[in-house]
Amino acid sequence: MRRLLDVLSLDPIYGRIYEIISLEGRLPPADKIAVHDSEELKDDLPDSVLGGAWGNHDVWFREYPPAFSVFAHELIHLAKKYSDVHEEVYAYDLSDFIVLLAERGIMPKANPLRLFEDVSLKDLADAISRYYGIDGKSPIDVILNYFFTTGVIPLFANLNEDWSGLVLKENFGAKDIVIHSLVEIIESALYDNDTSLKLLLELLNSKAGL
């Protein structure tokens, strides 16, 4: 059995990923996190399972050293969280964003998990207006106009009858809209859209100290 410190010594990117996810004390010290041997669970789990995390101090990776995204995914599972957002939403949708920050050497002022905890509809709409110059009668209008302008139909919207814009589907609350919107914007940032990345960082850094 190894300790997470052993993984961090393999590449500076691992260290940056750990530092980002541990912001605000959300992870235990690296020397307190156990990394179980790859062979230990390999035969008990489907090949599609690339890693696992349990409790607050234990992780497992099918391959060692793990891919950066797998490493980030499992550390997110260990991190403290402050909302009822599903664990896999946190881990699946934020891991690649955190790897992007680590690879670019960007240390945010607040933990990226706050994107799914503290960003409101108004926060998001205001940021979209600033960075993309898109307006609307309400925060929802701004967000729908943004997606229509960028050619994306998010999960919470449909095209209107004459295809001239988007309309909100029923049964989507404010939190769902924010998270689905952020996921789409993160995807955009991953494809070298620096405007999306700047928007996300502004939202994130605005939550520092809360």
Side-chain angles (χ1 to χ4, degrees):
M1 183 185 297
R2 302 176 175 92
R3 292 286 162 182
L4 197 73
L5 276 176
D6 299 319
V7 185
L8 303 189
S9 68
L10 299 175
D11 192 299
I13 300 297
Y14 290 121
R16 292 176 198 158
I17 291 169
Y18 171 78
E19 289 174 11
I20 291 169
I21 301 173
S22 65
L23 281 168
E24 304 165 2
R26 296 211 187 198
L27 282 176
D31 61 346
K32 302 297 183 184
I33 298 175
V35 180
H36 293 260
D37 294 337
S38 297
E39 299 298 323
E40 194 172 315
L41 298 173
K42 230 173 191 176
D43 296 334
D44 299 328
L45 296 169
D47 291 345
S48 59
V49 178
L50 302 179
W54 55 96
N56 298 314
H57 298 83
D58 294 89
V59 292
W60 170 81
F61 304 111
R62 180 174 291 278
E63 303 295 337
Y64 188 86
F68 294 140
S69 60
V70 174
F71 181 72
H73 186 111
E74 300 310 332
L75 288 193
I76 290 171
H77 279 307
L78 290 186
K80 296 174 185 175
K81 302 170 192 73
Y82 301 105
S83 82
D84 58 0
V85 174
H86 194 281
E87 277 278 336
E88 283 300 329
V89 173
Y90 273 111
Y92 182 82
D93 291 312
L94 289 176
S95 54
D96 286 338
F97 175 59
I98 290 169
V99 172
L100 175 66
L101 296 179
E103 290 177 335
R104 292 203 181 188
I106 299 170
M107 179 60 66
K109 296 177 183 177
N111 195 300
L113 276 61
R114 284 188 178 272
L115 286 173
F116 288 177
E117 295 170 352
D118 297 331
V119 174
S120 68
L121 276 175
K122 186 177 186 306
D123 292 334
L124 181 57
D126 287 349
I128 287 171
S129 293
R130 280 194 298 276
Y131 279 92
Y132 288 95
I134 293 173
D135 295 320
K137 295 178 181 178
S138 69
I140 291 288
D141 282 342
V142 173
I143 293 167
L144 291 174
N145 291 342
Y146 161 75
F147 283 117
F148 184 71
T149 301
T150 55
V152 174
I153 302 177
L155 186 64
F156 54 82
N158 285 321
L159 281 168
N160 62 17
E161 290 183 359
D162 60 4
W163 291 26
S164 62
L166 297 177
V167 292
L168 187 65
K169 291 180 182 177
E170 295 181 1
N171 301 321
F172 277 89
K175 190 69 173 178
D176 293 327
I177 294 168
V178 168
I179 289 177
H180 286 302
S181 298
L182 288 170
V183 168
E184 294 289 352
I185 296 170
I186 287 169
E187 285 294 317
S188 176
L190 295 176
Y191 286 97
D192 293 326
N193 187 325
D194 282 345
T195 303
S196 292
L197 179 57
K198 290 174 183 176
L199 183 156
L200 291 165
L201 285 170
E202 179 180 303
L203 282 172
L204 185 53
N205 291 338
S206 73
K207 302 304 176 183
L210 292 181

